[in-house]
Amino acid sequence: MKIQSILYPMGEICTEQSMYYRDVGECRIFNTYFNLFSVAKWKKYTDITQIKLVFETRGVREVCIYDLHGIVYRKRIVEKNQQRGEILLNLTDLYEIAWVSIVKERGIEPYFQASFQSVEEPKRNIKICLDICTYHREAFLEKNLYTLEEEIFSDEENEDHFKVYVVDNANSLQIRERGWLSVFANKNLGGSGGFTRGIIEAQRNREAEGFTHVLLMDDDIVLEPDALIRSYGILSYLKEEYKDISIAGAMLREDYRYIENAAGERWYNGKLINPKQGLDLRDFRQCIRNEVEENVNYAGWWYCCISLEVATKENLPLPMFIHLDDVEYGLRNCQYGFIYLNGICVWHGVGEHKKTSIYEYYELRNNLLLRAIHRDGASKRKLQKVVIKRMIHSVLYYRYQDVKLNYMAVKDFCRGIEALAQQDGERLHQMILEMGYHSLPVECCTNNRKLIQYVQHFPKVTNEYQLYQKWNTKFGLREKLTFNGWIIPSRSGIISALPFGVAANRLYRVKKVFFFDPETKKGFITRKSYLGLFKSLMYMIRAVLQLEQSQKVIDEYCSRKAILTSEKFWKRYLGEEECQS
């Protein structure tokens, strides 16, 4: 069975050659992110003892196998014309990571198609349900479905291994269903509602379809199709003690496709720890670093393949709408573990400049929920500290409407688990949208020509090593003495334009600011307001007082969370009639 193909750059997916192979003199070396074979992980997690490299080649003199100790096997090719062959390898003879290298005939562009294949028969019958949640992203979705149809389902055998469920939260898709594709209309209850609907449908059809796993996958990604083959392959040979482990995919940046944004994160004390963010996957040494297993306790739902023995009818996600729902579900089930392999990945926009107001509500409310449910920094004092810090952050950027959303998040959290169970997620989301700031093109926000020109010509990051460079957030002496300019007059008549994410010290004595996304050039204007400051302080005091009485609510979230994770709850929450359609 094929468990990993040797890949080449593809125009619609990734054209970065050094992520696939390197030409050094007469050699073409496949010691790259997509073509390294993770020997150590296959040894650890599976019962496979032998693999073979099956290849078809032309214009090649030698095919060699290397590991971290050096050359392991060399096969000379006698015929210059097209030739098929295979190399049998014992995993015990390979150290940590293996790769292929070929020696080219002089003056000939080589042809080399190959794959690593298992020798033993699979010990598990696997079928994966791809659970894709979408909301008004037809262009992205149709592109991904086309990729799946051309690269996966063009092989009829794969219809026995995979099926796609698309959950349409917008009820707007005009997509033809076919043997490998089903579409389910759904209420707009965010990512958590859409993915959960997919899990429920996979469980409902589990016996008829033979599903063993559900793969939660975003609609707006760029997918490397061989990730599915590799996931299916390793799942088919798992050892008994790892039979319920999840296969997780890395997130690579959509703009700089060789930069890794996340691959194995950890939630600790209310913060996300992301040790592999910023790795340059063109570099062999950083690919080796990427293979190191981290202490991971959740996997992002851009690509996360979960056993249906874990994602059961009584162990469904929480109704968190968006943001941190994957973290909560990972924390709840992290005892089963996660496997990350080089080459199992998607490309995704990272959203570092998309600081919309809706996240001010969901990020704070869901952070409080997460802390309470998992007893991670859930004392009253710690929760109050989190809320105060969040509200001060909003005030420093003159985002007073966001302070109101912050307070609303605290208020809803303090209403308790029964209120969360009864909430109308669609109506709540619409209310949040109406309350927050709305990004518009710069020319719709101001007629200041200099500012419009500045924003329209604002440079994008041109050096990838600046991507994760932290802003200088330290306040100098003048900022500290004047509370960042609040107790002295502002520079009158001046409107500043600042990208989302800048440090608050950039607003020193600024009266009016246009915050914008450097990619889309869209944003909104905020103004320094002493009335806004006063109202924000009142919201802050009310939030702290509400949390002062919250210990019972915190205990209840922890002890009664199961009422939110059952199929019975979710069918009512989604609408019984929809779940039976």
Side-chain angles (χ1 to χ4, degrees), residues 13-28:
I13 295 175
C14 181
T15 58
E16 194 64 48
Q17 179 182 302
S18 53
M19 293 179 71
Y20 296 88
Y21 65 87
R22 313 175 208 281
D23 284 331
V24 181
E26 294 182 343
C27 295
R28 176 162 290 177

Side-chain angles (χ1 to χ4, degrees), residues 352-488:
E352 58 199 358
H353 295 300
K354 294 172 175 61
K355 306 292 184 182
T356 59
S357 289
I358 59 171
Y359 285 98
E360 291 299 319
Y361 175 86
Y362 291 115
E363 189 170 304
L364 182 54
R365 187 202 64 175
N366 293 349
N367 188 316
L368 299 176
L369 284 172
L370 205 56
R371 289 168 176 269
I373 288 168
H374 294 283
R375 292 296 193 188
D376 183 11
S379 68
K380 289 188 298 184
R381 294 292 172 261
K382 285 189 176 180
L383 295 189
Q384 287 170 336
K385 185 177 178 180
V386 168
V387 170
I388 291 171
K389 188 174 179 180
R390 190 80 197 177
M391 288 183 161
I392 289 175
H393 180 272
S394 296
V395 169
L396 286 173
Y397 292 90
Y398 314 154
R399 294 178 63 159
Y400 311 113
Q401 290 167 238
D402 287 353
V403 175
K404 192 173 181 180
L405 286 170
N406 295 152
Y407 172 70
M408 183 176 160
V410 174
K411 185 179 176 182
D412 286 351
F413 169 78
C414 291
R415 290 169 63 202
I417 197 166
E418 288 292 344
L420 181 59
Q422 298 299 322
Q423 74 177 6
D424 183 334
E426 282 187 304
R427 185 179 176 188
L428 172 64
H429 186 65
Q430 190 58 42
M431 188 187 309
I432 293 166
L433 285 173
E434 291 171 1
M435 288 174 64
Y437 295 95
H438 301 98
S439 290
L440 296 170
V442 59
E443 56 271 18
C444 297
C445 298
T446 180
N447 55 10
N448 184 321
R449 288 192 176 185
K450 285 187 177 180
L451 185 136
I452 292 172
Q453 280 191 333
Y454 174 78
V455 170
Q456 289 177 339
H457 295 93
F458 189 83
K460 298 179 182 178
V461 173
T462 55
N463 183 338
E464 62 270 20
Y465 302 108
Q466 297 175 355
L467 290 171
Y468 300 104
Q469 191 177 48
K470 301 296 183 184
W471 293 94
N472 177 14
T473 58
K474 292 183 178 179
F475 288 98
L477 182 61
R478 68 174 185 176
E479 286 88 4
K480 290 178 181 177
L481 291 175
T482 63
F483 295 96
N484 207 33
W486 275 89
I487 61 174
I488 58 177

Side-chain angles (χ1 to χ4, degrees), residues 1-2 16 76 79 81 90 205 217 222-223 245 282 335 412 419 432 460 464 488 530 548 553 571:
M1 184 177 81
K2 185 189 294 185
E16 194 64 48
R76 295 191 182 278
E79 296 288 336
N81 295 327
N90 294 314
N205 299 315
M217 196 164 72
V222 175
L223 173 68
I245 201 167
R282 299 171 299 179
Q335 68 271 23
D412 286 351
I432 293 166
K460 298 179 182 178
E464 62 270 20
I488 58 177
Y530 290 95
E548 192 65 34
V553 170
K571 281 187 174 180

Side-chain angles (χ1 to χ4, degrees), residues 47-259:
D47 290 318
I48 280 185
T49 58
Q50 287 185 316
I51 59 172
K52 58 184 178 181
L53 178 74
V54 179
F55 60 86
E56 186 175 337
T57 185
R58 182 176 62 251
V60 172
R61 297 207 312 266
E62 283 185 357
V63 178
C64 305
I65 305 293
Y66 287 81
D67 67 11
L68 288 180
H69 284 158
I71 191 164
V72 176
Y73 190 95
R74 175 184 284 117
K75 185 179 181 71
R76 295 191 182 278
I77 307 297
V78 179
E79 296 288 336
K80 291 185 179 181
N81 295 327
Q82 193 159 325
Q83 181 176 334
R84 292 181 174 88
E86 62 180 57
I87 298 172
L88 186 65
L89 300 163
N90 294 314
L91 285 189
T92 53
D93 297 334
L94 299 172
Y95 178 69
E96 294 292 333
I97 292 172
W99 64 89
V100 183
S101 178
I102 61 173
V103 180
K104 301 177 284 185
E105 291 283 358
R106 286 189 178 91
I108 300 175
E109 178 62 26
Y111 172 85
F112 184 73
Q113 296 294 327
S115 63
F116 290 104
Q117 299 186 13
S118 57
V119 175
E120 299 103 321
E121 287 296 311
K123 64 182 294 184
R124 302 183 186 280
N125 293 318
I126 301 296
K127 187 169 183 181
I128 301 172
C129 175
L130 279 67
D131 177 6
I132 303 175
C133 170
T134 188
Y135 182 80
H136 287 311
R137 283 177 174 156
E138 282 81 355
F140 284 106
L141 181 65
E142 287 172 9
K143 196 171 183 179
N144 281 321
L145 292 179
Y146 177 79
T147 298
L148 290 169
E149 185 169 34
E150 292 295 308
E151 302 294 332
I152 299 296
F153 295 106
S154 57
D155 182 348
E156 291 184 4
E157 185 180 333
N158 281 332
E159 289 200 31
D160 296 330
H161 307 327
F162 305 98
K163 187 162 185 177
V164 180
Y165 281 2
V166 174
V167 180
D168 178 16
N169 280 359
N171 293 267
S172 63
L173 292 181
Q174 302 293 321
I175 292 177
R176 176 178 59 87
E177 293 190 351
R178 54 213 97 156
W180 54 270
L181 172 64
S182 296
V183 179
F184 301 92
N186 199 50
K187 286 183 176 180
N188 182 24
L189 295 172
S192 59
F195 285 127
T196 302
R197 174 70 187 280
I199 296 171
I200 290 171
E201 297 299 339
Q203 283 286 4
R204 185 199 307 280
N205 299 315
R206 184 176 182 182
E207 188 173 336
E209 294 281 0
F211 292 138
T212 58
H213 292 76
V214 61
L215 170 54
L216 309 186
M217 196 164 72
D218 279 341
D219 57 348
D220 56 345
I221 58 167
V222 175
L223 173 68
E224 168 47 64
D226 204 58
L228 298 176
I229 303 302
R230 299 179 189 199
S231 300
Y232 176 84
I234 198 165
L235 288 171
S236 298
Y237 291 95
L238 288 175
K239 293 177 180 177
E240 184 63 25
E241 64 261 41
Y242 297 115
K243 64 183 177 65
D244 293 323
I245 201 167
S246 294
I247 308 299
M251 183 206 286
L252 278 54
R253 292 182 66 103
E254 196 172 16
D255 48 1
Y256 295 87
R257 297 204 175 189
Y258 47 86
I259 298 293

